[in-house]
DNA sequence: GCGAAAATAT
DNA sequence: AATATTTTCG
């Protein structure tokens, strides 16, 4: 088994340019990643301070006007203070915040107002609801519902701030995922300005997201397992940390694992897109796999790369195209994980229809195997074209494992040519 | 009371 | 247009 990589800083003429400098696109991307860091990361990582107060999305004036109904707030509650609270008070403990929250949202007051509004709306409908023309597909509007009168003023929207969500998740975890039902959650959260419906709704979404994320994790695990299978099959003994040393030619397919090039450059769907997902994933994922309270030393799942910056930190652009681990270009060269052709063929990298797979997201383009013509040629008397083609592939794929058992004399001549081009043969073992 | 899905808001 | 939240309904 042989693996080759371009020599760093070698005098390869057509390669130096590509290696030595990043394209404009690369630079732009890095900047973008940084921007994301600042604008989104902080917001959602700083979950324990400040940004916490949930607020009902009503006009403040409206809120307090309504809350004043039937509720004598203890003088201290003013609109001004409320506004301050909504901006987040530094250093306020969670309890204080929650208390303030309850007070400002006027929980009891809201109940009163809601009820009243409800009754009012029966009498004087404030908003003509479009009587869902055919939206009721598969649903038979009951006579009761029809008789009820369908006009109802919407309640103030609950803003599920990170802090509120945190409480929610805490309650859910405390109950256990199967016993977590709205009423119990509501009890545990102890925030009586929320209704059971609010909780139920949030729970619905929470489950949905959780399901989604777990599915993706399972997918990632599956891929990781596959990689280990063939890595082991090829005799690799080392444990490979997928975040640090991804197997050559493959990139973990899910964002939960590491963002693929496709996910970095083109939206798959919104949850797969870093700009949209980063903040949201933090919101939902944050409590997904908490350290076991009973077995705190239990092994943790590998940390997800928090954002594109992580990706850029650990990976770099290869020559021409493709990402590869920085570790592979720094310090002692390591042996690339062997990728027997048969295995590659059996486990092709995932392919998103309609989007050309990124070079690193598909099986390594074969120098020899997939180009049967080249293979034959090399085995016999390689022409310069075939050698050049091989070199081209190698340069495009900085780490290109050559198929096992390729030891024909012509291979040496290929390697000579590769070396002339600044491609280096990598020692068959590392460490 | 619960969960799924429709309706509505942003 | 997409996502978040509420409301409806079985």
């Amino acid at each position: 088994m042989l693996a080759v990589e371009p020599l760093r800083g070698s005098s390869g003429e057509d390669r130096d340019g590509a290696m030595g400098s990043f394209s404009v696109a690369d630079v732009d991307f890095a900047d973008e990643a940084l921007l994301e860091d600042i604008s989104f990361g902080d917001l959602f990582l700083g979950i324990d301070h400040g940004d916490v107060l949930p607020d009902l999305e009503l006009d403040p004036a409206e809120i307090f006007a309504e809350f004043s109904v039937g509720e004598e707030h203890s003088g201290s509650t003013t609109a001004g203070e409320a506004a301050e609270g909504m901006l987040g008070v530094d250093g306020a403990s969670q309890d204080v915040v929650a208390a303030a929250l309850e007070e400002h949202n006027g929980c009891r007051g809201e109940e009163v107002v809601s009820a009243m509004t409800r009754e009012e709306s029966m009498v004087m409908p404030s908003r003509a609801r479009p009587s869902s023309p055919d939206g009721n597909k598969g649903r038979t509007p009951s006579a009761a519902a029809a008789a009820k009168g369908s006009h109802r003023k919407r309640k103030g929207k609950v803003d599920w701030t990170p802090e509120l969500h945190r409480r929610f998740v805490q309650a859910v975890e405390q109950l256990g995922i199967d016993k977590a039902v709205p009423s119990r959650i509501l009890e545990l959260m102890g925030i009586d300005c929320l209704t059971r419906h609010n909780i139920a709704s949030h729970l619905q979404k929470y489950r949905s997201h959780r399901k989604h994320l777990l599915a993706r994790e399972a997918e990632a695990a599956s891929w990781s397992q596959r990689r280990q299978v063939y890595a082991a099959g090829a005799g690799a003994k080392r444990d490979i940390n997928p975040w640090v040393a991804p197997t050559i030619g493959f990139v973990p397919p899910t964002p939960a694992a590491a963002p693929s090039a496709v996910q970095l450059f083109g939206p798959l769907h919104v949850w797969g897109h870093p700009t949209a997902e980063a903040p949201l994933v933090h919101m939902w994922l944050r409590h997904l796999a908490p350290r076991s309270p009973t077995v705190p030393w239990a092994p943790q799942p590998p940390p997800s790369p928090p954002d594109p910056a992580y990706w850029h930190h650990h990976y770099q652009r290869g020559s021409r195209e493709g990402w590869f681990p920085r570790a592979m270009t720094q310090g002692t060269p390591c042996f690339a994980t062997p990728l027997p052709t048969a295995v590659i063929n059996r486990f092709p990298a995932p392919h998103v229809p309609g989007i050309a797979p990124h070079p690193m997201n598909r099986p390594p383009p074969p120098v020899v195997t997939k180009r049967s013509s080249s293979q034959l040629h090399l085995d016999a008397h390689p022409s310069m074209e075939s050698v050049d083609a091989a070199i081209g592939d190698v340069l495009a794929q900085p780490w290109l494992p050559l198929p096992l058992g390729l030891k024909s004399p012509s291979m040496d001549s290929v390697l000579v040519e590769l070396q002339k081009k600044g491609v280096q043969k990598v020692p068959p073992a590392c460490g």
Side-chain angles (χ1 to χ4, degrees):
Chain A
M1 159 70 194
L2 294 168
V4 292
E5 73 167 343
L7 273 175
R8 265 171 302 128
S10 81
S11 57
E13 59 278 25
D14 51 350
R15 194 174 46 76
D16 269 355
M19 274 296 270
S21 63
F22 286 96
S23 68
V24 172
D26 289 324
V27 172
D28 284 342
F29 182 79
D31 285 345
E32 195 179 309
L34 185 60
L35 258 182
E36 280 176 18
D37 259 345
I38 295 169
S39 54
F40 292 117
D42 288 350
L43 185 61
F44 284 87
L45 288 175
I47 205 165
D48 281 336
H49 45 71
D51 56 343
V52 228
L53 282 177
D55 55 276
L56 297 179
E57 289 191 353
L58 292 171
D59 243 11
E62 189 182 337
I63 293 176
F64 294 104
E66 291 193 344
F67 287 165
S68 64
V69 175
E71 178 75 306
E72 25 77 78
H73 275 293
S74 56
S76 68
T77 304
T78 69
E81 280 178 351
E84 186 187 8
M86 286 178 187
L87 290 175
V89 182
D90 263 0
S93 78
Q94 285 170 14
D95 287 340
V96 170
V97 166
L101 173 172
E102 289 184 26
E103 197 170 296
H104 284 309
N105 280 341
C107 300
R108 279 186 296 158
E110 190 196 33
E111 293 298 311
V112 172
V113 169
S114 306
M116 196 186 72
T117 310
R118 209 162 287 172
E119 283 185 32
E120 273 178 355
S121 63
M122 307 277 193
V123 181
M124 36 161 70
S126 59
R127 190 176 298 157
R129 173 181 286 179
S131 53
S132 49
D134 223 325
N136 281 344
K137 56 180 174 184
R139 184 172 286 191
T140 23
S142 66
K148 245 183 213 168
S150 52
H151 306 315
R152 179 167 297 174
K153 186 178 175 184
R154 286 209 139 209
K155 285 200 239 171
K157 218 164 121 174
V158 171
D159 184 9
W160 282 93
T161 64
E163 166 62 13
L164 203 50
H165 178 69
R166 203 196 109 266
R167 289 201 152 206
F168 167 84
V169 173
Q170 190 181 322
V172 170
E173 284 172 0
Q174 195 171 328
L175 289 167
I177 192 69
D178 15 300
K179 289 171 193 163
V181 294
S183 55
R184 306 276 298 128
I185 296 172
L186 186 55
E187 268 176 36
L188 240 53
M189 286 179 72
I191 297 179
D192 51 349
C193 54
L194 292 175
T195 68
R196 197 170 50 77
H197 286 86
N198 292 140
I199 303 286
S201 166
H202 198 64
L203 182 61
Q204 181 181 22
K205 199 168 74 161
Y206 176 74
R207 284 173 173 156
S208 159
H209 281 248
R210 196 169 177 277
K211 192 175 154 193
H212 186 81
L213 290 169
L214 288 175
R216 305 200 95 174
E217 277 192 354
E219 193 191 352
S222 156
W223 272 97
S224 166
Q225 196 178 358
R226 290 177 177 188
R227 294 193 334 193
Q228 286 192 0
V229 164
Y230 69 66
K237 295 288 194 288
R238 288 188 318 132
D239 241 21
I240 295 180
N241 180 339
W243 311 121
V244 175
T247 303
I248 256 349
F250 288 88
V251 167
T254 74
S260 73
V262 165
Q263 285 148 355
L264 287 173
F265 293 117
L268 289 176
H269 64 126
V270 75
W271 293 104
H273 196 258
T275 56
E277 185 170 40
L280 293 168
V281 158
H282 283 146
M283 172 110 170
W284 292 100
L285 238 186
R286 191 164 188 79
H287 315 278
L288 192 58
R291 188 174 286 275
S292 159
T294 51
V295 193
W297 57 86
Q300 291 292 291
S304 301
D307 52 52
Y310 176 95
W311 186 244
H312 280 268
H313 179 69
H314 289 278
Y315 297 84
Q316 64 182 201
R317 267 308 215 183
S319 59
R320 287 218 205 149
E321 51 182 4
W323 294 86
F324 56 94
R326 286 191 186 278
M328 287 188 170
T329 62
Q330 292 167 354
T332 318
C334 263
F335 191 40
T337 308
L339 292 176
T341 318
V343 175
I344 291 172
N345 291 338
R346 233 180 297 137
F347 301 117
H351 178 236
V352 179
I355 301 177
H358 190 278
M360 286 298 279
N361 214 12
R362 67 188 179 212
V367 175
V368 178
T369 13
K370 288 224 168 158
R371 290 190 180 177
S372 50
S373 59
S374 292
Q375 163 104 57
L376 292 173
H377 228 93
L378 291 174
D379 281 348
H381 304 287
S383 67
M384 277 314 294
E385 292 95 58
S386 62
V387 170
D388 275 336
I391 291 170
D393 280 338
V394 169
L395 292 179
Q397 197 75 47
W399 283 72
L400 183 63
L402 301 179
L404 295 163
L406 222 174
K407 287 174 187 168
S408 72
S410 57
M411 199 57 217
D412 289 329
S413 60
V414 172
L415 289 175
V416 168
E417 288 305 315
L418 290 173
Q419 275 182 336
K420 281 189 198 165
K421 298 268 185 177
V423 175
Q424 183 185 34
K425 183 179 165 187
V426 172
C430 66

